[in-house]
Each structure stands twice: as C-alpha cells, then as structure tokens.
Amino acid sequence: MTRKRKSAPADDGVSAARDPRIGDRAVPDEEWRCLVEKLRAKEAALRRIELRFNQLAENIEQVFWVSDQAIGDFVYLSPHCNEVLGVDCRQFVSDAALRRRHVHPEDLERHEAAITQARRGEASHVEYRIHHPRKGLRWLQVRSFPFDEHGRAMNAGLVEDVTERKRAEQLRLEDSLRLRDALTREVHHRIKNNLQTVVGLLRREAGKHPQAREAIESAVAQVQSVAVVHGLYGQGMQRDIMLCELLPAIVANVAALSGVPIGRKGVHESCNRFLIQESETVAVALILNELITNAVKHAATEGTGDRDHPLVKLTRKGATGRIHIANPGHLPEGFDFVAGRKLGTGIGLVRALMPSSGMSIHFTQTDSQVVTEIVVEPPVLKTSAGEQSNCEGQTYEKCADRR
C-alpha cells in the first residue's frame, strides 16, 4: 500500500523566509506578512499612478518630457514628440546642425539661447518656428523648468504646437489695424474739411480787407499745405506719406492759388517707397510750400515769358533725395540762410521749421536765376535697401498712385 505524500504548502512569499529579521531582531511571521502586504500595496499604488501619468501624458496635445539637466538623457518623453516636432526629438536636442536646418533662421538664436538657459538650470520659455516636413511652417512654444530629484539636477518641460493660436492672433491684429486705419482716415478727412472751411473764411476776409490781402493769402497757402497732408493721410492705408505724393500735391496747390504754371519732374513708380517720417510730414509740407511759393512770387515779378516759369525737380541717390527749385530772380544782397540774415518772412519760417537733422537747404545765384536745393535724408526720410539700388542716380518722371 503506497502512502500519499503531504503536499507542500503554497509559497506566499512569507513562509519562504525561515528566519526573517530586521537588523538583529527576528520578525515574527505575522509581522513580516503585514510588512510584505504594505509593500505590495505601495507597489500597486505606484503602478496605478504610473498608469494614470502615462494616460495623461500620452493623450494631451502637448509633448511632456523629463531629462537630466543637460537634456541628453530622457527619463520620459511623450511618444508623439516626433509627430509634433517633425523630426526625431532626441536627435533634435543633440544635433545642432539638425536644429539649424529645422528651426526658422530668424528664430534660431532665440531657440539656442533657451536651450543654453535650461542646461544652466534656469527656467526658460521660448516660441519659435520650425519647417515641419509634412505640415509646413509651424509655431512651437517650449517651456522648461529645473527640479531636484534626490540631489540630482533634472529638467522637465512642455512642447506645444501653437500655430492655430498664432494665426488667430494675427487675424485679430489685422482686424484691429483695419479698424484703426479706417478711424484714422476719417479723422484726417474731417481735419482736411475743417481746414478747407478755414481757407474759405480767410479768402472772404481777404476780399473785405485788400490792404491785408497778401498776408492773408500767405496764411491761406500755409493752411492749404497742411490740408494737403491730411488729405493724403486720409486717402491711403499707410501711416507714412511718400515724398512723391507730397511734392506734386504741394506744387499743384501753389500753382492753383497763384495761377502761375510750375514745371515739374516727379518720381518714377518703381521708386515709390521714399517715405517721410510721420512726425516730420507737416514741417516738410510747410517748408516746401514756402519755398515753392517764394519761387512763384519771384517768377511772376522778374520773369519775362513762359520759359521763366519755376521748375521743381526731384532726384534721388541711395537714401538721399534732392529737390531743386529753379526760378528767375536774384537773392537779396547780404542774404545768408544759415546765419539768418535778409531772409524775409517766408524764408524765415522755413528756417524755423527745419528739422534738427535729416534736411539741409542751399540757395545758389546763377546769372538771373535762383536755384534752391533741398537735401532730404534719414531720419526725415526712410527707405528700404532693396529700393535704393533700383533708383540709384535717377531723375523721375511721375508719381505712382498706389491707392
């Protein structure tokens, strides 16, 4: 008769330890079993936390990462990082040449500075553009922050595609600019209309007071030149007025008021970005008005025929514009514009309105003709480098209408 062997008790992880001890103290089985159960419960809790973390990190749109301080060894990196960035994320961080190819050139310096800042253990926040191989140009926002893990310096951060937000911001900005431009044009239009009303009142007074007619007409011309500026601002979307817009408008205004034809050579449409700083526009308009009005007065009193009409010409070289006003006449004896001698009221006003830099005026007597040269340059003018090269040394024939 065969004896049945007793089956061995199942190994529960506690009975396997014949003599469990904590330090020099022997631990009873019941106490040891409680310690093991607590350890198992903590491990289960940690697994649940890890599961929730992975579910969160893998389902948010942002890329989450944890690494050492040098951002070379990643403890965690969201699995969709490559999709957001368009390249291998680990290689992107380690390969400077790849970053130079992938990051927009205008943003590269800012991006590299943020990486350096993070590697120094400082918090960083940067937005930059990348050339995504499938999605095209994209905006990314990257935030990183340092933390300490048991004495080890670490980095963590978020990468987010903010392209749609940037586009929405751009649309809002464009809407705001359109509204502002519409309001600005309306204001300039109303100012121009009010100035025209003032001109009408002054002309009526000139008819009532013949002895003051010359002074009133001078005031009318000045008010008209300011009205011209506001009229130009009221017509275009731009904030700055082109010299090729202002000069013909002033010439036409003076010719209409005086009844004296004025010859002119304006500007070519390919050079239509010769802009006047907004803060200097009114002063430039008044200066041109006074100088052209002065030329008309001398042409009317000293000219001998149609060939003696004033001539206004604009030339340009690089960032400098030169306006020449030629008219029959003679400079007063002792005339000195720089020293302010023998100027008269109109030229005295011109001298007072001169900007501190960016404009100079020279008067030259040639036989029976006076030539006034106005040199205008930055900071009164502003141009783009590409346009300067296209217009070098030219004399221009007409002004483009860009409205």
Side-chain angles (χ1 to χ4, degrees), residues 197-217:
T197 301
V198 172
V199 167
L201 293 173
L202 288 172
R203 283 176 172 165
R204 188 170 65 181
E205 291 302 309
K208 293 179 182 179
H209 306 282
Q211 70 280 8
R213 186 179 187 87
E214 183 176 351
I216 293 175
E217 288 296 338

Side-chain angles (χ1 to χ4, degrees), residues 62-228:
Q62 297 91 340
V63 171
F64 180 68
W65 54 271
V66 180
S67 73
D68 62 352
Q69 183 172 315
I71 320 180
D73 181 17
F74 284 90
V75 177
Y76 180 84
L77 183 62
S78 295
H80 58 287
C81 180
N82 293 0
E83 173 62 24
V84 172
L85 205 59
V87 293
D88 183 88
C89 293
R90 288 178 170 83
Q91 185 182 359
F92 179 78
V93 173
S94 62
D95 189 345
L98 175 60
R99 294 197 298 273
R100 285 194 296 271
R101 295 193 301 271
H102 197 58
V103 177
H104 193 286
E106 294 178 5
D107 303 336
L108 183 61
E109 183 178 353
R110 184 167 64 253
H111 175 266
E112 295 299 303
I115 291 180
T116 302
Q117 190 175 358
R119 286 172 172 166
R120 288 200 303 259
E122 302 172 7
S124 66
H125 180 193
V126 65
E127 292 183 350
Y128 61 93
R129 290 161 291 179
I130 62 169
H131 299 287
H132 198 287
R134 294 180 302 281
K135 301 177 182 179
L137 190 67
R138 308 295 292 180
W139 273 98
L140 298 184
Q141 179 189 75
V142 180
R143 289 170 288 175
S144 70
F145 49 90
F147 69 98
D148 182 86
E149 184 182 54
H150 308 299
R152 182 187 180 195
M154 303 287 287
N155 261 315
L158 287 169
V159 182
E160 182 178 4
D161 188 325
V162 294
T163 305
E164 298 308 317
R165 190 197 75 194
K166 286 284 188 180
R167 287 173 179 168
E169 290 175 354
Q170 182 63 30
L171 289 175
R172 286 195 296 270
L173 177 61
E174 290 173 358
D175 288 341
S176 298
L177 289 175
R178 279 194 291 270
L179 177 60
R180 186 206 65 187
D181 287 336
L183 292 173
T184 301
R185 289 197 305 274
E186 178 62 22
V187 168
H188 283 299
H189 180 69
R190 293 189 180 192
I191 292 174
K192 176 191 173 184
N193 289 344
N194 290 336
L195 291 173
Q196 295 290 12
T197 301
V198 172
V199 167
L201 293 173
L202 288 172
R203 283 176 172 165
R204 188 170 65 181
E205 291 302 309
K208 293 179 182 179
H209 306 282
Q211 70 280 8
R213 186 179 187 87
E214 183 176 351
I216 293 175
E217 288 296 338
S218 177
V220 165
Q222 293 169 15
V223 174
Q224 284 278 49
S225 65
V226 177
V228 164

